[in-house]
Amino acid sequence: MNRDKVMTFLKKSLRFLPDKSYIKLYYRLRVGRKLNMGNPTTLNEKLQWMKFNYRFPLQTIVSDKYLVRDYVENKIGIEYLIPLYGNWLNFDDIDFDALPDQFVLKCNHDSGGLAICKDKKTFDQENAKKKINKSLKDNFFYIGREYQYKNIIPRIICEKFISDNGNVPMDYKIYCFNGKPDVILVCKNRFRNDSHRAQYLYFDQNWNFVPLNKGDELSENPNIEKPKNLDKMLSIARKLSEDFIFARIDLYNIDGKIYFGEITLTPNSGFDPDITEETDLYFGNKLEIPYWEQIQK
């Protein structure tokens, strides 16, 4: 059974399960190993532990793609935010005549509720409505039982379409362990409709390719140019992650102009099947999780 079918099956059929039972089953199916939450050692395991033992209201705020904007503005400044054209609770309230020729519609509460408009004349509004409305009905919490998504009020936001020569720019996802930036996951060719396949590649802070995903050891060293102002990106990641023991800070960098993407507290919901088991443990060793007594203080 492939990954998408597993997701659909669990979402529809196993939603009634208690959180811990659901997570243990989902973990076994996605990661392929038994979950050890009593003594977690890998990153995936520690992210599962955090779902039950590390909760506070700020997590919901920064996971909301609309509310996080105020947090980012206060932390690093409004100049790093992608311009916002509007926000709505209902798709039918959107005045498309008032929007520019290019824009991005996205839901604030999930991953995938997205519609990119590069030309309003050819934009499939009906398909976008169907996709967005489907996302608005879903509570993203139930897919991975991530506490931070449970109480987000779903809404639609519209942002400026930022492009790199007409294409969706590369996404730089900076892993931060206990407030310290570490490796950078580069996402290239996402949302492309041509023959280019999406690539997910890890680099260290000196911009050396690090083979951390399954199959990377068989790949040639990718020729991806080091982004301008990388030191500035790492500094931004440090500021935005300082309130969390783990956070992935997603940024864009277009010829040195840095934009905030999002803050992700549990990448892949802690069910990442693409990294190697060695990578999972390598990341897990970097993350120090607090004792329960420390959390209560």
Side-chain angles (χ1 to χ4, degrees):
M1 186 181 293
N2 67 36
R3 197 179 307 167
D4 291 337
K5 288 182 178 179
V6 169
M7 173 87 71
T8 301
F9 174 73
L10 287 171
K11 184 178 177 182
K12 291 182 177 179
S13 303
L14 303 180
R15 179 169 172 168
F16 66 90
L17 285 179
D19 292 343
K20 287 188 178 181
S21 298
Y22 176 94
I23 284 174
K24 288 179 180 179
L25 175 58
Y26 200 0
Y27 190 91
R28 190 64 177 259
L29 291 170
R30 284 289 299 258
V31 182
R33 299 190 297 273
K34 184 178 179 180
L35 174 62
N36 182 354
M37 206 150 50
N39 183 29
T41 57
T42 69
L43 178 61
N44 277 323
E45 287 180 337
K46 288 184 177 182
L47 292 179
Q48 302 305 332
W49 182 92
M50 289 165 58
K51 289 178 183 180
F52 297 96
N53 300 299
Y54 184 70
R55 298 179 175 184
F56 49 96
L58 182 59
Q59 293 171 310
T60 295
I61 292 173
V62 301
S63 298
D64 183 322
K65 294 181 178 66
Y66 179 64
L67 296 182
V68 72
R69 295 176 64 88
D70 287 337
Y71 179 82
V72 172
E73 181 177 348
N74 290 331
K75 282 283 187 179
I76 60 175
I78 195 172
E79 65 269 23
Y80 296 102
L81 290 172
I82 298 173
L84 185 71
Y85 295 136
N87 74 94
W88 308 268
L89 294 176
N90 300 294
F91 190 94
D92 290 336
D93 291 336
I94 302 173
D95 182 2
F96 283 92
D97 291 335
L99 296 178
D101 288 335
Q102 295 185 327
F103 55 84
V104 176
L105 293 176
K106 64 175 69 171
C107 291
N108 67 320
H109 70 296
D110 72 349
S111 175
L114 177 76
I116 299 173
C117 176
K118 296 183 180 181
D119 184 350
K120 199 158 61 171
K121 294 178 182 178
T122 59
F123 181 59
D124 190 339
Q125 188 172 319
E126 285 303 313
N127 186 58
K129 179 178 180 178
K130 182 179 179 181
K131 184 177 183 181
I132 294 292
N133 281 343
K134 182 178 183 300
S135 288
L136 289 175
K137 294 176 183 178
D138 290 335
N139 188 325
F140 198 62
F141 162 79
Y142 288 103
I143 294 177
R145 306 298 165 102
E146 297 166 89
Y147 156 81
Q148 63 268 27
Y149 293 109
K150 189 172 186 178
N151 297 312
I152 295 177
I153 299 173
R155 69 174 64 238
I156 309 160
I157 61 175
C158 183
E159 294 178 340
K160 178 180 180 180
F161 173 65
I162 58 171
S163 70
D164 187 0
N165 294 321
N167 296 312
V168 175
M170 284 190 287
D171 201 352
Y172 301 92
K173 300 177 180 295
I174 304 173
Y175 282 59
C176 299
F177 301 92
N178 301 99
K180 298 177 182 178
D182 201 272
V183 295
I184 304 109
L185 176 61
V186 179
C187 301
K188 184 180 180 181
N189 295 328
R190 298 179 74 196
F191 312 114
R192 291 281 291 269
N193 294 321
D194 53 23
S195 60
H196 293 87
R197 295 185 62 183
Q199 293 178 288
Y200 301 90
L201 306 162
Y202 285 97
F203 291 81
D204 65 19
Q205 295 185 28
N206 294 317
W207 212 246
N208 298 307
F209 171 60
V210 188
L212 297 176
N213 278 320
K214 294 176 181 176
D216 279 353
E217 69 279 2
L218 303 176
S219 304
E220 296 181 1
N221 195 344
N223 184 23
I224 295 180
E225 185 178 355
K226 179 180 177 180
K228 295 181 180 179
N229 301 334
L230 177 59
D231 289 344
K232 182 64 176 177
M233 295 173 69
L234 295 171
S235 175
I236 288 172
R238 184 181 297 274
K239 290 180 181 178
L240 293 179
S241 67
E242 63 185 1
D243 294 319
F244 311 96
I245 62 173
F246 177 82
R248 195 192 70 199
I249 308 300
D250 299 359
L251 303 173
Y252 300 103
N253 189 325
I254 303 175
D255 197 28
K257 172 61 177 174
I258 301 170
Y259 291 100
F260 168 78
E262 63 182 75
I263 296 176
T264 303
L265 300 179
T266 43
N268 290 283
S269 300
F271 304 110
D272 191 348
D274 296 320
I275 56 175
T276 67
E277 189 171 352
E278 292 76 17
T279 297
D280 203 0
L281 183 58
Y282 169 70
F283 284 157
N285 288 334
K286 292 175 178 287
L287 178 59
E288 298 177 10
I289 57 176
Y291 290 106
W292 180 246
E293 291 80 5
Q294 293 175 312
I295 297 173
Q296 296 302 295
K297 292 181 180 180

